[in-house]
């Protein structure tokens, strides 16, 4: 068969997460769903805000069908973009307009379009591990190279590694806060320091180094003191890749946006390249109905108190068992040290208790596992005694 070998491989090999997710479904049929503790996938477990369904009903009832379901402008409906930009000005004091926004089919599309828009021959994009597994697929798909750096011991950026890794080939730094898979959030000082390094290196090499901020978890933080800085307020050459998948609990609807900071060097040209990349990838005109739903529900979230309760229960329960966990300020993932060096072997042992965890090797971080806690709270309550048994197998000491 004459095929693109790389695409064939990507399409025929499932990701580790999908592999475990499929296993969970099969195992659930064998022993009952309630007896399988599937912590594999980041599928929101809290219903969408009521306003999402209400808006859909209202739009369907009140808008002529042809207008509602027809194409919008390639970059998204103008009214939708203006409404979202207005919210960004109000919520974050960001000096942006609808003309800086490009509506997309979720963060995956926001990222692929951005990499295609920026990439020139020989370009590299830097990110910090642990990172979302698809970054490598998206960056390489655009013909660039992903350079993954280790984070510091708190999973915050390692600034000296960053200084050394930036070269004339560096087109951008990709960050994701709140982070999948660690739940870590970058605070204001961190963002200021990142901006300082990128500004200095941009000057040194005489070209802008972009800061690309992947933000599907922007609103998912659980403590009053946790503030997620709005990137365009801190660094001019920045691009935000946003998605409503998690905030509105609507990942299947495929809606998000790219925000090109209007203060970026040649911002209009960058925006044009985003439009060009969207066109070349066949992404023109994100789903029309959901563009309007996104505009009407922008800034709302599903009931985050459920995730907060899950986070607290899980973090306290696991640390009490003796497991070493990174405190997750946001998103709905908990990053836990594997109780043995080989995280795959640890996950296999956990499987004996029907606890399905994801080894973090594919997130670029060996010796850890990811636990997605976007599940029913009851699932966590029932899983904790099993985690305690697992901890005992490794001789971990109960700290409760
Ligand atoms: N980026 C991160 C960090 C994610 O966790 C995800 C999805 O889980 C995506 C991007 C893709 O999001 P979307 O469903 O909006 O394409």
């Amino acid at each position: 068969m004459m095929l693109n070998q790389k695409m064939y491989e990507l399409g025929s090999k499932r990701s580790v997460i999908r592999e475990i997710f499929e296993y969970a479904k099969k195992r659930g049929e064998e022993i009952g769903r309630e007896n399988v503790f599937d912590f594999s996938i980041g599928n929101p477990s809290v219903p969408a805000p009521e306003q999402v369904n209400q808006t859909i009903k209202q739009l369907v009832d009140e808008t002529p069908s042809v207008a509602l379901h027809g194409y919008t402008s390639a970059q998204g409906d103008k009214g939708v973009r203006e409404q979202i930009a207005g919210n960004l000005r109000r919520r974050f004091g960001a000096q942006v307009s609808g003309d800086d926004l490009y509506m997309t089919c979720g963060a995956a599309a926001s990222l692929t379009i951005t990499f295609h828009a920026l990439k020139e021959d020989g370009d590299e994009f830097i990110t910090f591990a642990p990172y979302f597994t698809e970054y490598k697929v998206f960056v390489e798909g655009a013909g660039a190279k992903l350079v993954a750096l280790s984070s510091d011991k708190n999973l915050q950026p390692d600034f000296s590694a960053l200084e050394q890794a930036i070269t004339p080939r560096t087109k951008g730094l990709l960050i994701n806060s709140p982070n999948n898979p660690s739940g870590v959030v970058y605070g204001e000082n961190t963002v200021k320091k990142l901006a300082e390094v990128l500004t200095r290196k941009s000057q040194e090499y005489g070209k802008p180094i972009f800061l690309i901020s992947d933000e599907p978890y922007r609103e998912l933080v659980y403590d009053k003191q946790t503030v997620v800085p709005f990137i365009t307020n801190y660094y001019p050459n920045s691009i935000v890749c946003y998605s409503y998948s998690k905030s509105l609990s609507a990942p299947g609807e495929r809606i998000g946006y790219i925000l090109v900071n209007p203060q970026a060097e040649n911002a209009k040209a960058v925006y044009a390249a985003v439009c060009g990349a969207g066109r070349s990838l066949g992404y023109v005109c994100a789903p029309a109905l959901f563009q309007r739903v996104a505009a009407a529900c922008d800034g709302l979230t599903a009931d985050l108190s459920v995730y907060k309760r899950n986070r607290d229960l899980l973090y306290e329960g696991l640390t009490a068992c003796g497991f070493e966990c990174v405190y997750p300020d946001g998103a709905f993932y908990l990053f836990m040290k594997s109780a043995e060096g080989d995280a795959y072997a640890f996950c296999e042992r956990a499987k004996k208790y029907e606890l399905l965890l994801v080894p973090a090797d594919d997130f670029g971080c060996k010796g850890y596992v990811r636990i997605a806690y976007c599940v029913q709270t009851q699932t966590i309550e029932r899983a904790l005694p099993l985690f305690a048994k697992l901890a005992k197998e490794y001789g971990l000491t109960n700290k409760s």
Side-chain angles (χ1 to χ4, degrees):
M1 263 190 299
M2 306 286 275
L3 293 172
N4 179 326
Q5 190 59 26
K6 178 102 187 154
M7 293 304 136
Y8 169 74
E9 281 163 20
L10 277 176
S12 46
K13 207 179 109 214
R14 271 203 293 252
S15 74
V16 181
I17 299 170
R18 288 273 161 192
E19 206 63 67
I20 301 170
F21 180 62
E22 293 301 327
Y23 170 85
K25 279 202 278 191
K26 195 172 117 272
R27 189 74 180 133
E29 280 162 23
E30 287 165 11
I31 63 167
R33 273 169 176 256
E34 68 288 1
N35 298 315
V36 179
F37 301 91
D38 180 12
F39 295 106
S40 66
I41 205 158
N43 213 359
S45 55
V46 177
E50 188 44 38
Q51 196 168 329
V52 168
N53 292 337
Q54 274 171 7
T55 307
I56 295 170
K57 284 183 196 144
Q58 200 178 340
L59 283 167
V60 170
D61 287 346
E62 294 176 6
T63 323
S65 178
V66 172
L68 183 60
H69 301 301
Y71 288 121
T72 67
S73 299
Q75 66 271 43
D77 179 79
K78 193 165 172 58
V80 164
R81 288 182 287 116
E82 281 173 356
Q83 200 172 334
I84 295 171
N87 287 347
L88 295 175
R89 288 195 296 272
R90 208 186 53 251
R91 289 170 67 199
F92 306 113
Q95 293 312 304
V96 298
S97 80
D99 291 339
D100 308 316
L101 286 168
Y102 182 98
M103 301 306 294
T104 66
C105 301
S110 302
L111 290 163
T112 44
I113 290 172
T114 299
F115 296 135
H116 274 84
L118 297 180
K119 181 256 168 188
E120 296 174 285
D121 284 348
D123 273 352
E124 296 177 353
F125 291 90
I126 295 176
T127 198
F128 287 103
Y131 58 87
F132 180 49
T133 49
E134 296 300 276
Y135 286 170
K136 203 166 148 56
V137 177
F138 298 161
V139 168
E140 289 179 359
K145 183 177 166 198
L146 182 72
V147 176
L149 306 178
S150 299
S151 298
D152 74 10
K153 63 179 189 334
N154 299 316
L155 303 190
Q156 293 287 325
D158 178 336
F159 285 97
S160 65
L162 179 63
E163 295 258 358
Q164 282 171 28
I166 296 176
T167 72
R169 290 186 299 280
T170 307
K171 180 51 68 74
L173 171 67
L174 169 61
I175 59 170
N176 167 224
S177 159
N179 184 268
N180 173 10
S182 71
V184 158
V185 171
Y186 291 175
E188 187 176 40
N189 283 342
T190 303
V191 170
K192 280 184 176 166
K193 258 174 106 175
L194 286 175
E196 186 275 312
V197 174
L198 295 183
T199 303
R200 190 159 32 79
K201 289 287 182 183
S202 296
Q203 277 161 3
E204 185 180 333
Y205 295 123
K207 57 159 209 172
I209 298 174
F210 289 89
L211 181 58
I212 302 150
S213 185
D214 177 25
E215 302 190 356
Y217 303 97
R218 146 163 297 283
E219 290 84 6
L220 275 64
V221 292
Y222 307 114
D223 301 308
K224 275 208 183 68
Q225 70 275 18
T226 309
V227 177
V228 183
F230 199 73
I231 293 302
T232 61
N233 292 341
Y234 293 86
Y235 185 65
N237 293 309
S238 52
I239 299 178
V240 175
C241 293
Y242 184 79
S243 163
Y244 294 90
S245 291
K246 318 285 170 160
S247 53
L248 294 185
S249 282
E253 304 298 354
R254 315 307 302 135
I255 194 76
Y257 60 75
I258 297 168
L259 168 65
V260 175
N261 189 345
Q263 292 161 59
E265 228 175 287
N266 296 319
K268 290 267 176 265
V270 176
Y271 186 82
V274 163
C275 295
R279 179 179 172 192
S280 122
L281 291 164
Y283 274 135
V284 284
C285 177
L289 173 64
F290 254 77
Q291 286 189 42
R292 289 161 181 127
V293 174
C297 300
D298 182 66
L300 295 180
T301 63
D303 180 3
L304 300 185
S305 70
V306 179
Y307 296 141
K308 178 176 164 52
R309 197 175 330 127
N310 287 1
R311 188 236 8 215
D312 293 346
L313 251 179
L314 195 61
Y315 181 80
E316 280 157 27
L318 292 175
T319 46
C321 292
F323 287 113
E324 217 178 294
C325 303
V326 178
Y327 185 76
D329 282 311
F332 39 47
Y333 307 101
L334 185 140
F335 214 51
M336 185 171 91
K337 249 205 173 132
S338 164
E340 58 183 297
D342 180 349
Y344 282 94
F346 177 65
C347 290
E348 279 305 312
R349 276 232 220 173
K351 229 183 195 177
K352 283 199 312 190
Y353 297 99
E354 311 299 345
L355 297 169
L356 306 182
L357 323 175
V358 178
D361 296 53
D362 283 5
F363 298 107
C365 210
K366 287 185 189 300
Y368 284 85
V369 296
R370 186 189 79 168
I371 304 177
Y373 58 80
C374 42
V375 296
Q376 300 302 314
T377 303
Q378 232 191 22
T379 304
I380 295 175
E381 286 163 350
R382 293 180 52 239
L384 282 174
L386 301 171
F387 275 110
K389 285 186 187 169
L390 180 65
K392 245 190 186 160
E393 273 198 39
Y394 286 98
L396 302 180
T397 20
N398 190 320
K399 292 181 187 148
S400 58

